[in-house]
Amino acid sequence: MLEQSNLGQAFFNSFMIAIPATVLPVTIGAFAAYAFAWMNFPGRNYIFLALVGLLAVPLQLTFIPVLHFYVQNLHWTTDNLEATGIPGLPWVPLWLAHAGYGLPFSIYLLANFFRALPSDLFESAEIDGAGTLTVFFRLVMPLSVPAIASLVIFQFLWVWNDLLVALIYVGSSAEVAPMTVNLANLTTSLGAGSNLLTAAAFFSMIVPLIVFLSLQRYFVRGILAGSVKG
Amino acid sequence: MASVTYDHVVKRYTADVTVVKDFNVDIKDKEFMVLVGPSGCGKSTALRMLAGLEAITEGKILIGDRVVNNVAAKDRDIAMVFQSYALYPHMSVYDNMAFPLQMAHMKKSEIDKRVRNASRILGLDNFLKRKPRALSGGQRQRVALGRAIVRSPKVFLLDEPLSNLDAKLRGQTRVELQKLHRDLQTTFIYVTHDQVEAMTMGDRIAIMNAGILQQVGTPGEIYDHPANLFVAGFIGTPTMNFIPANVTNGSAKASGFEVKLPKALPAGSKGTLGFRPEAVTDRTTDGGTTLDMKVDVVERLGSDQYLYGSVGGDQLTARVDPRMAVAPGDRVRLGLDTRGLHFFDGESEQALL
Amino acid sequence: MASVTYDHVVKRYTADVTVVKDFNVDIKDKEFMVLVGPSGCGKSTALRMLAGLEAITEGKILIGDRVVNNVAAKDRDIAMVFQSYALYPHMSVYDNMAFPLQMAHMKKSEIDKRVRNASRILGLDNFLKRKPRALSGGQRQRVALGRAIVRSPKVFLLDEPLSNLDAKLRGQTRVELQKLHRDLQTTFIYVTHDQVEAMTMGDRIAIMNAGILQQVGTPGEIYDHPANLFVAGFIGTPTMNFIPANVTNGSAKASGFEVKLPKALPAGSKGTLGFRPEAVTDRTTDGGTTLDMKVDVVERLGSDQYLYGSVGGDQLTARVDPRMAVAPGDRVRLGLDTRGLHFFDGESEQALL
Amino acid sequence: QNAGSVKVIAEWASTEQANFLSVLKPFEDSTGIKVQYESTRDLSAVLRTRVAAGNPPDLAAAPNPQLLTQFAQQGKVIALDDKIDMSQLKQNYSQSWIDLGTINGKLYQVYSWVSLKGLIWYNVKAFQAKSYTVPKTFDDMVTLQSQIKGTGTTPWCVALKSGGADDGWPGSDWLKEIVLSQSGPDVYDKWVAGTQKWSSPEIKAAFTTWGKVLGPGDDSNVFGGSKGITNTSFKTGGNPLFTNPPKCYLHNQASFITTFFQEANPNLQPVTDFNFFPLPDITASYAGAHVVSGDAWSMFHDSPQTRKLLNYLTTANAQVIWVKKGGKISPNKQTPLDSYPDPISKESAQILVDTKIGKYDATDLMPADMRSAAWKACLDFVTNQGKLDSILATLDQVQATAYKSS
Amino acid sequence: MDFGVLLTDLPTLVVVILGVPALIGAYIVGSEFLVRRLSDKRRPQVRPWFWVGPALFLVAAYLLLPAIGTVFQSFENNNGNFIGLGNYESQFANFPTGGAWVAIRNNVFFWLIFYTLFTLAFGLILAVLFDRVLYENIVKSLIFMPMAISSVALGVIWNFMYQYQSPGESQLGTMNALVTFVLHHDPVSWLQDQWPTPTFNILNNLALIGAATWGITGFALVILSAALKGIPADLLEAARVDGAGELTIFRRVIFPLMMPTIVVVGTTLVIFALKAFDVVYVMTAGNYGTDVLAYRMYNQLYTAGNSGGASAVAIILLIAVVPVLIFNLRQFRAVEARR
Ligand SMILES: Nc1ncnc2c1ncn2[C@@H]1O[C@H](COP(=O)(O)OP(=O)(O)OP(=O)(O)O)[C@@H](O)[C@H]1O
Ligand SMILES: Nc1ncnc2c1ncn2[C@@H]1O[C@H](COP(=O)(O)OP(=O)(O)OP(=O)(O)O)[C@@H](O)[C@H]1O
Ligand SMILES: [Mg+2]
Ligand SMILES: [Mg+2]
């Protein structure tokens, strides 16, 4: 029963899906959020608002056009990607999809925090000769650690718990399907062993909790204290 | 060449808030220029425009021969001490000071040398590993200063860098800054509220009021020949005595005394007679002008004694020997040294004398 | 009754960082106490403990007769000007100042009266609707001060409230604060780095160094009778001249001169002779002590002229008439006024004279 | 081994998945064709998306043929007439099963496993203790009801909850049985096709007949009343049969329910502890009418391997493998009755074979909108039978639009 | 259990964990390198587009284009023929119980108001309270826990909470145990009872919202508490010295300073409320007057295969978001003016 449930494979698949699908929207979102918060470009506010608005698009509506494009134009089916033999490749469509779906919130949240950093710091860094990259990596990122930590937690959790998106973009075959798909299958069947279900549910819950607990220490107080007077 | 030129510079925040008005100064290469003026007059704004942190509404600013209006701050090669410090809160004191040097891709050993040198000068050796939040106000200010002085930029901008330091440390640091200026041969622009700093540190002093430049000159010129009533009143503590007076054949007549003017002024001029407290002393000379003062307040300062009182209908301040015995209510006879006499036009407030 | 008592107060941040050590002061009701000391010596920490913002590691603090160690900050009825201003960024200047009054449930009309009065005194009338972000450094500091002076608390704590103001405004504000003290009859504790403020404003001055109280006394006592070498060196600008000397039958012998001591000291004592720059002048008196100085640096301050140079092997500073003509390299003969002579023990650094 | 592969999607997971895989095993072994089986709970979402994107599986089995019928109408699935062995099919299946899969004269769906609806379960020992007898006619059953009620217990257990999207379907089972048995196959077919109005006397009569079972005052014949009905999961709905004393004596549910009986009370034995009788005939002329349901197969992608597999799945050899594991009935005439593992499944298979009027589950054939509205109507009816007319009016409205949009 | 794969495939995982960030890093470093070759004036004009580029591309591909497609589809029937407002007409048919009306009512009144307010209020209160407790991390983890549970499991748990047994039976559901034991009231059929009236059934909707709130409070808590910790301590100190009590400090200092973040969380919650799906899907399937837009859309799309109707519902949902966006724009300008 356990053998056939492929729990170990699914567990691994979940990581293969969740980690890049968290890293992508958080980093790409951070870049964009920084630009929205601290750079000037035409239409900035309206583009930003459009992003927030897109947060409301029901994902189900996007599946068909996106999958259609994957299959018809890119020939990105799980089969084709697996056939290349490159490990990890079958998940690329899913990573990108999760990135696309996660970005609006990612940008919205981070831009809000980035905007709250005192402008004096940016000025002083500029005077010190820091370029955009340095300011981003050495000031913005470390000073926004609480926001980034919370975003990582949420994005990871959403991806980790996601069933539908994974089902659509990679399907439910054991080689690629994550825990959730596995779990959902366990629950449908009439009279599945409920202890197996409990064990699997525990597994799927414990990982986000570990992520949460281990990132908690980044929720530091007064990260900006002592920086500016007035 | 790192001269700095403000050419008809204007800064407006909103249509009706103009904080710098038609500002023109030439600061020479290697000059130590002190910028003073009342709180809110636009000093910081002037520096920030030069640093590239604030858009210039009108006019242009040149560093050397180059118009920098559109040059990014980081490309202007300027070091600045922010009035608000703006320390990097997540970096240690050491890293705060090392940061600009790392930006310049300096060698690690050189960075270390410079940071340690600066922290020694500023008395921060024991705090190098601390984060800014665990420092006292004065220590933070020193870090902000340290972050600038480790560098060797084209221009140094210092916005009240010593305001939160005690007198002794301030004295030492002042000397160190002068030494730095001598060693680096860089242009310094230095904002301060401290009269002693202004008088002792600057090659020249620029005085602003309400966004308008009032006078630029050497400390001596400014002190001895203030261009107008504002400058005269702003420089010097206690402030200069101002007495309304009329000019009648070669002398000025105030309500309580009359004094011969060293230079002829058109008779009938109305205006303000000005002389500094140290021109009124307990040393009377024969034939000199004497004043009979009714003393209201006596202020003993240790090294000096100031008497505040009235002569005729006018209030004035005198500086006398600290050991002279006076009490409020006394009448004393004081001598006025006419070498330090000023006269300001009643209308334009410009100095006539 | 709002006396303030520090009773063996200790503040430790971590086991090895003790920033206030066994601090004992009695501040009387209605007293104006000035607290001075070098940057980082623990002044702000002492105030913050009194305000209830920092836990007291050991000892106790009393306001009146009440131990306040465990009283919440808001119940201590204290007004405080923070060194870092701590303005509410989302409130206008007006609201910043009105806030503490609203907390006291004061009537709207009374709040308005007080805020307008304070803003008039501080020259903030034109900025009442602005947010702190759009103010200059000095203006922000004035808002911070205004937020305290609108109130009538038991105790005022002011942590360098005037450091970012120009001399003139500082002078005016000083006077206003003194008036406030007279009118409200409240206890004031005032931290400053400005010697003039320290000397003129306080009923008494407390001097701290490295977390330890050095001396408490009236300005006159402190200036004329410093308890130890640190106090002597800390108070007064330029700083007191310190010359290593040995005592031999009634006089002290330095490398370049000998001076008769006004009081007998045990012969053979080794220590430091101290006298202030203003005790060394260009006025020599017959029979008085004269010094032959080789001038290194001449500092003209407008009202004064300081000469830095050497007598024998020792460096010292003299204050002479600003119109005396001297140039670096000159040798001048100066008189030493022995009335202001100090002698400090070589070991304990305590004043013997 | 390069015999190719077939991609199959269905809803079976876990135990059912294992059973299905064991059906495939001999096929894979003998042909060398690899079957890639994907199982998913959200079958309609996955299938619709994949089909729309042009990436469908080769074969899919769906529990509601209506989804597949839509695909057929849109030309997304392949007609099977020239793809599979029709003679074998006709030999194995009665014409009614073949007709079920025929749309516009072409065969699009075939069935491999089915189940029989409308079985009334009872506690054998409790029945004996009270000396109740199995009713032969509907009127007998109504008599039995009042007899049980007379002893102060409720005769029925009814449970309509299904954990989300499908709440209410067990109620529709009642309706379908009653409509078929009361008004006959023609009305039933028109009803499925959307040409029989819900407010017509026949359908309304079915509701009122069901209402007689539920009892006056909406629900007095049922344990827990209407709140109990809507709050109890169909999975546990029969359990009060086996309490001591029993809280109810009768429970209507399809053949799979035995699994849940035994899960809750592992000691229960079929026949000795529990047994069933088919819902008694209502109108004599329609005696022997039964509602069936099952998983229909459709082909999305034609290949020799796919054809082979589909052929295999329609054989008794294939179907008997799962039948032996229990819980499924084979529609195949060739499947020997003694392959059924227990007397109860054997009996239900026997009934299926004997069925004179066999009709496929009506709501599963209706458009999805209609189906959900019907399920919902069952819930509403149970909650307040007095509102029957307005419930039927709403259903008529849905009927008017639902058939158009699909 | 085949946890062996964890070991054999681990190198792939490592490569991915390192490779993906490296790739993204290379992009931004590379683009900055390119930007630096531009003239002083062009640089600030071009640079932002490099920074927002990848994000805009992905969002356009995965959300914007499909959304635009949805707009078109909402005017078409299933065969792709233009039918004007037909789909909207059927969604808006038969007020107040037909079409999408029940879903609209539930989303716009019940969900939007109660879900958003409850979650914000709990999140804010808990963030402020927990900020002062000793074992902050532990209590926060407890509140966070429900977030880690999948929606299916959440449904199972709350179905159990709301379980109903007939009056007189022992109540297995927590809520009904409370109701009968503490309040001596008959058990309530939480999810089915259309109380007070079937046209204004607030009770079962609130029961669903309660479950959803339980599941999402951790979200608000985490973000709000991150913002709370960013408030400069000296402002709170100043307020204390000014004589403000903790409540006043919260109202006058903490709350306004957190406002931008509250708006972010609030906006997100409003959007979540409009998109509410999981709980309804798992617990009532929109029965008993608990339908919501997203569930209706799902049904139309997958169960009924009516993509035009589904698109129309989605567009209704998107339009409902517009007022929130306008509010954001205002807030945005206010913050901009402040810094
Ligand atoms: N959180 C902390 N941890 C460790 N040391 C601290 C911390 N905060 C302050 N200190 C140290 O305590 C000492 C006293 O600080 P305090 O702010 O009281 O100085 P101060 O006398 O007010 O100085 P200044 O005049 O510069 O404001 C300083 O040396 C400072 O570095
Ligand atoms: N964002 C702004 N909007 C409007 N007015 C502003 C803004 N920022 C500053 N000001 C005003 O500009 C004037 C000049 O400010 P600036 O900071 O240059 O003064 P300053 O000379 O440095 O004063 P201080 O000595 O007090 O630091 C002040 O009156 C200030 O109120
Ligand atoms: Mg300034
Ligand atoms: Mg301090």
Side-chain angles (χ1 to χ4, degrees), chain B residues 214-234:
Chain B
Q214 305 288 322
Q215 185 175 3
V216 185
T218 64
E221 278 165 30
I222 300 272
Y223 195 86
D224 293 334
H225 306 291
N228 57 32
L229 201 63
F230 174 80
V231 175
F234 189 76

Side-chain angles (χ1 to χ4, degrees), chain B residues 12-14 17-20 37-48 54 83 159-160 191 193 208, chain C residues 127 130 132-140 142 164-166, chain E residues 337 339:
Chain B
R12 255 191 296 276
Y13 276 109
T14 57
V17 182
T18 310
V19 299
V20 172
S39 168
C41 72
K43 305 178 295 293
S44 299
T45 310
L47 290 200
R48 290 167 53 82
E54 207 83 66
Q83 194 173 9
D159 200 347
E160 303 186 28
V191 173
H193 284 314
M208 286 180 79
Chain C
F127 306 108
R130 289 242 189 113
R133 264 268 115 197
L135 295 179
S136 80
Q139 286 160 348
R140 286 181 205 175
R142 282 180 268 162
N164 279 64
L165 304 184
D166 58 287
Chain E
R339 80 164 185 218

Side-chain angles (χ1 to χ4, degrees), chain B residues 39-40 83 136 138-139 142 160 164-166 193 200 223-224 234 278 301-304 319 323 337 339, chain C residues 38-40 83 136 138 142 160 164-166 193 200 223 234 278 300-304 319 323 337 339:
Chain B
S39 168
Q83 194 173 9
S136 80
Q139 287 161 347
R142 282 180 269 162
E160 303 186 28
N164 280 64
L165 304 184
D166 57 287
H193 284 314
T200 58
Y223 195 86
D224 293 334
F234 189 76
E278 69 262 25
L301 230 67
S303 61
D304 289 301
R319 189 175 85 166
R323 282 174 300 268
D337 187 335
R339 279 172 297 182
Chain C
S39 169
Q83 192 173 10
S136 80
R142 282 180 268 162
E160 303 186 27
N164 279 64
L165 304 184
D166 58 287
H193 283 315
T200 57
Y223 195 85
F234 189 76
E278 70 262 25
R300 251 212 86 196
L301 233 67
S303 60
D304 289 301
R319 187 175 88 168
R323 281 174 300 268
D337 188 334
R339 280 172 296 182

Side-chain angles (χ1 to χ4, degrees), chain C residues 84-148:
Chain C
S84 65
Y85 314 157
L87 303 181
Y88 307 119
H90 56 293
M91 297 185 195
S92 67
V93 169
Y94 185 98
D95 290 336
N96 262 283
M97 296 206 272
F99 185 77
L101 303 180
Q102 291 166 349
M103 291 306 105
H105 304 292
M106 200 171 271
K107 268 200 314 203
K108 258 215 161 94
S109 59
E110 173 69 12
I111 292 179
D112 193 66
K113 211 184 82 195
R114 290 195 181 204
V115 171
R116 291 196 186 279
N117 185 38
S119 65
R120 194 186 39 70
I121 289 175
L122 297 169
L124 289 172
D125 318 66
N126 295 329
F127 306 108
L128 287 177
K129 287 206 180 116
R130 289 242 189 113
K131 297 269 164 70
R133 264 268 115 197
L135 295 179
S136 80
Q139 286 160 348
R140 286 181 205 175
Q141 190 167 43
R142 282 180 268 162
V143 178
L145 183 56
R147 202 168 54 179

Side-chain angles (χ1 to χ4, degrees), chain C residues 8 15 36 47 107-108 132 137 143 146 159 161 164 167 169 204 207 243 259 261 263 284 291 309 312 324 330 341:
Chain C
H8 297 283
V36 296
L47 290 199
K107 268 200 314 203
K108 258 215 161 94
V143 178
D159 200 346
N164 279 64
L169 190 56
R204 287 194 294 164
I207 300 179
I243 315 283
V259 60
L261 294 173
K263 208 182 97 185
T284 51
L291 306 176
M324 176 179 176
D330 288 0
L341 223 48

Side-chain angles (χ1 to χ4, degrees), chain D residues 133-401:
Chain D
T133 51
V134 169
K136 292 276 172 294
T137 66
F138 197 82
D139 290 335
D140 286 352
M141 195 175 79
V142 175
T143 317
L144 178 60
Q145 260 176 223
S146 29
Q147 196 184 343
I148 298 172
K149 221 175 158 189
T151 68
T153 4
T154 41
W156 287 96
C157 271
V158 179
L160 299 192
K161 206 164 149 66
S162 171
D166 341 310
D167 276 0
W169 68 260
S172 72
D173 277 5
W174 275 103
L175 272 188
K176 288 170 276 199
E177 286 290 339
I178 295 172
V179 169
L180 183 61
S181 181
Q182 189 169 45
S183 307
D186 293 343
V187 172
Y188 190 90
D189 285 343
K190 278 163 72 189
W191 185 45
V192 169
T195 49
Q196 176 83 21
K197 280 194 145 195
W198 287 81
S199 53
S200 65
E202 291 85 353
I203 306 297
K204 188 171 174 180
F207 271 98
T208 42
T209 306
W210 185 29
K212 260 187 235 154
V213 172
L214 295 173
D218 294 355
D219 51 20
S220 56
N221 285 351
V222 183
F223 169 63
S226 65
K227 284 186 181 171
I229 296 173
T230 51
N231 267 294
T232 311
S233 160
F234 74 92
K235 297 179 185 172
T236 57
N239 293 345
L241 288 172
F242 306 105
T243 55
N244 196 8
K247 302 247 168 64
C248 61
Y249 287 83
L250 301 163
H251 181 58
N252 175 8
Q253 192 47 275
S255 45
F256 63 76
I257 193 68
T258 55
T259 328
F260 292 99
F261 288 169
Q262 283 169 318
E263 194 172 274
N265 303 286
N267 296 327
L268 293 181
Q269 290 305 319
V271 184
T272 50
D273 289 315
F274 59 86
N275 208 336
F276 74 91
F277 57 89
L279 184 73
D281 304 322
I282 301 172
T283 307
S285 49
Y286 307 129
H290 289 292
V291 175
V292 296
S293 71
D295 295 299
W297 288 98
S298 272
M299 183 195 276
F300 291 87
H301 200 269
D302 180 28
S303 71
Q305 291 87 348
T306 313
R307 294 185 198 187
K308 257 193 203 149
L309 178 57
L310 199 52
N311 269 328
Y312 170 72
L313 288 171
T314 59
T315 60
N317 287 346
Q319 292 171 14
V320 82
I321 297 176
W322 197 340
V323 161
K324 280 186 176 155
K325 301 202 183 255
K328 291 275 180 204
I329 302 174
S330 160
N332 196 312
K333 290 187 283 192
Q334 316 296 330
T335 307
L337 276 180
D338 34 327
S339 338
Y340 292 90
D342 58 84
I344 286 189
S345 50
K346 192 181 206 164
E347 192 186 342
S348 42
Q350 181 71 54
I351 294 172
L352 192 78
V353 172
D354 295 344
T355 297
K356 297 203 192 79
I357 307 168
K359 283 292 167 193
Y360 196 85
D361 186 319
T363 43
D364 277 351
L365 293 173
M366 290 176 187
D369 268 2
M370 191 70 254
R371 182 181 60 197
S372 355
W375 289 349
K376 196 169 164 307
C378 293
L379 296 172
D380 290 343
F381 177 69
V382 167
T383 315
N384 185 354
Q385 293 183 25
K387 285 178 61 183
L388 180 57
D389 286 330
S390 82
I391 291 172
L392 293 175
T394 311
L395 287 169
D396 277 349
Q397 277 172 17
V398 177
Q399 196 182 46
T401 55

